[in-house]
Amino acid sequence: MSGRRVLITGAGGQLGRAVGHAAPDGVTVVAKTRADLDIAAPEAGQAIADIAPDMIVNCAAFNDVDGAERDDAPAIAVNANAVERLAQTGIPLVHISTDYVFDGNASRPIPTDAEPAPINAYGRSKLAGEQAALAAGALVIRTAWLYSGGSGDFVGKVLAMAGTGDPMRMVCDETGTPTRADSLARAIWALVDAGASGLFHYTDAGLASRYDFAVAIVEEARALGLIDPVPDIAPIPASTFESAAARPAYSVLDCHACWAITGTPGHWRTNLRAALSEFSE
């Protein structure tokens, strides 16, 4: 891997930053935020040609799930059409996809060969993008419930709400696997180093509901002295939570084939504790 010039798109996002930080020694990282390089813009192709990377790790995405349901054009532009153009450059591509390509009707961890059936516009746009990438021989990695603790992700939002001390309500009948961005970033580089291609699933270990995840965030944050007092959190069914887009009820991914290459990650709660510990230092 040493000597490669790797373009990271979406480098201003939580995963893009983590991938850049985790880059192995000897790799030249060209990190481009959306302001630097909008992959959906007409001039993106020439900009990438000028960079002349040996590989692209595409961390750019339109992730506003409810926004995509109201207007799917931005999601299609970034998550589908732009990915297809990246795949057609002939430059080796690593593309990140999502558990939201599934309908949530499974009852056991979902293998990579399960039939996708997205139930919202965001999921449909991501499925189109991953299909285009796979057709071009890219490495595609589906992940789930990604967080780093920033203000815009689930962990950051829960911490902000907890800081007010007001009671919270969290959905208890949606199940997935919280996954730390740093964990996925290391896995991406491990797969690249192994010369992997095709479709993989990667998350941290274990599973949780949104309610479980929120409770763990609050408990771990309280133990580290990040919040005080601990607010009450009430479990509620998803049907009582108003949102434009439906979410999969169950989207735990079967990651064993990937973990055989990357190594088995820590349990999601262990990795959450590590992430929050960095905030307390």
Side-chain angles (χ1 to χ4, degrees), residues 1-235:
M1 194 184 303
S2 180
R4 285 190 183 180
R5 182 175 172 85
V6 178
L7 169 62
I8 301 174
T9 59
Q14 59 178 344
L15 181 58
R17 292 192 301 270
V19 170
H21 291 156
D25 292 340
V27 171
T28 299
V29 169
V30 182
K32 296 294 184 180
T33 67
R34 183 183 177 187
D36 301 324
L37 175 61
D38 181 353
I39 63 170
E43 62 272 17
Q46 185 58 55
I48 291 171
D50 292 342
I51 294 168
D54 299 308
M55 175 175 288
I56 300 169
V57 180
N58 181 37
C59 299
F62 182 90
N63 289 327
D64 182 351
V65 177
D66 288 329
E69 205 66 22
R70 291 185 286 267
D71 177 10
D72 65 358
I76 292 170
V78 177
N79 298 342
N81 298 342
V83 176
E84 183 174 17
R85 289 193 293 272
L86 289 177
Q88 291 173 347
T89 62
I91 301 167
L93 174 66
V94 180
H95 176 63
I96 311 303
S97 194
T98 174
D99 58 324
Y100 275 36
V101 300
F102 296 111
D103 59 16
N105 291 331
S107 57
R108 62 184 63 186
I110 305 166
T112 55
D113 61 358
E115 188 68 27
I119 58 175
N120 56 46
Y122 166 74
R124 289 190 290 273
S125 71
K126 291 295 288 184
L127 178 59
E130 72 171 45
Q131 288 173 336
L134 287 169
L139 168 60
V140 174
I141 306 165
R142 292 181 183 140
T143 192
W145 294 25
L146 200 65
Y147 72 90
S148 62
S151 60
D153 67 18
F154 188 79
V155 172
K157 290 176 180 177
V158 168
L159 289 175
M161 288 188 289
T164 69
D166 295 334
M168 293 187 284
R169 301 187 308 154
M170 290 292 166
V171 171
C172 62
D173 53 358
E174 291 176 0
T175 301
T177 304
T179 302
R180 190 181 180 190
D182 287 3
S183 178
L184 175 58
R186 291 190 294 270
I188 290 169
W189 288 114
L191 289 168
V192 169
D193 188 51
S197 62
L199 180 61
F200 289 87
H201 287 171
Y202 183 89
T203 66
D204 286 336
L207 54 83
S209 69
R210 298 284 184 186
Y211 170 76
D212 296 332
F213 191 17
V215 168
I217 293 166
V218 168
E219 290 179 350
E220 297 292 347
R222 176 64 182 87
L224 292 165
L226 296 174
I227 59 171
D228 186 34
V230 175
D232 291 331
I233 306 176

